[in-house]
Amino acid sequence: MLQQTWTSRCLMKFYAAVAASPTSWESHKVAERIEQRILNSNPVMEAFGNACTLRNNNSSRFGKFIQLQLNRAQQMTGAAVHTYLLEKTRVACQASSERNFHIFYQICKGASKDERLHWHLPEGAAFSWLPNPDRTLEEDCFEVTREAMLHLGIDTPTQNNIFKVRRKPTSPPSGRGDRRLLA
């Protein structure tokens, strides 16, 4: 677990313990559910927002702000996670010994034969935007990401739409507006 995740977890546990009244078991359970959902979001955010860099195999390419929501009695009732400054350039360009975002490697290494067919991902295909595909990292665990997505309410059909490789059109579409976009 990342140090930042561990720190976030400790702070949430502390705040939940301080904010929940000792007589309110339900408040404590709500705080635990909120904490668990935030923690379940972490593998998803790491898969889509972390990459292997020269200094760190699991380097965060984004910032995360967790806003805990309280009621008038100072009991935790919800939370919002905001991400910012996503390093979008990493998708197109990496240093020679770095890797792209973890999710791309997870999909290529973890997809079943049927999923590869459904997602338009040929077996053994080499992608120019996926350097160092033979390097294996602990962060390549696709099942952890998929399970976390399920816990967050992202069902399998939605996941399949997320993971499907979109093909570049081979010829310009027939609509006038589309031509202008491709020109």
Side-chain angles (χ1 to χ4, degrees):
M1 184 180 292
L2 281 174
Q3 183 65 30
Q4 298 150 325
T5 306
W6 180 251
T7 303
S8 297
R9 183 179 200 157
C10 288
L11 287 170
M12 283 186 287
K13 281 191 176 296
F14 172 76
Y15 190 78
V18 169
S21 67
T23 59
S24 177
W25 178 251
E26 188 172 318
S27 293
H28 180 69
K29 284 297 180 193
V30 167
E32 279 184 349
R33 278 196 311 272
I34 294 166
E35 174 191 351
Q36 194 55 51
R37 290 202 43 117
I38 292 170
L39 293 174
N40 282 336
S41 72
N42 202 59
V44 177
M45 288 193 295
E46 285 188 4
F48 285 89
N50 289 13
C52 178
T53 64
L54 296 173
R55 295 183 180 181
N56 184 347
N57 283 350
N58 195 28
S59 183
S60 179
R61 310 319 306 155
F62 67 97
K64 179 170 59 173
F65 173 74
I66 301 171
Q67 178 183 29
L68 300 177
Q69 299 160 348
L70 311 171
N71 63 16
R72 290 179 191 252
Q74 299 304 307
Q75 295 168 331
M76 198 177 340
T77 58
V81 178
H82 303 280
T83 58
Y84 55 92
L85 298 177
L86 183 60
E87 184 186 350
K88 296 174 186 173
T89 57
R90 177 159 297 278
V91 173
C93 182
Q94 301 84 34
S96 62
S97 57
E98 292 185 344
R99 292 190 350 165
N100 208 322
F101 291 106
H102 295 320
I103 191 63
F104 298 126
Y105 299 91
Q106 289 179 2
I107 293 169
C108 287
K109 293 179 179 186
S112 70
K113 192 172 188 174
D114 288 339
E115 288 170 335
R116 286 180 157 283
L117 183 64
H118 185 254
W119 299 341
H120 311 293
L121 188 65
E123 187 74 42
F127 299 99
S128 59
W129 45 268
L130 214 61
N132 305 308
D134 298 329
R135 187 170 176 194
T136 300
L137 301 174
E138 180 182 329
E139 292 78 19
D140 290 343
C141 188
F142 191 40
E143 282 307 309
V144 171
T145 301
R146 295 198 73 179
E147 188 68 26
M149 291 174 86
L150 286 172
H151 286 298
L152 293 172
I154 304 170
D155 61 14
T156 302
T158 303
Q159 288 183 31
N160 285 333
N161 283 329
I162 292 168
F163 300 137
K164 190 179 292 183
V165 175
R166 306 293 184 229
R167 294 183 180 166
K168 182 179 178 181
T170 54
S171 60
S174 59
R176 181 178 168 205
D178 292 337
R179 278 193 206 126
R180 281 186 282 142
L181 290 174
L182 294 174

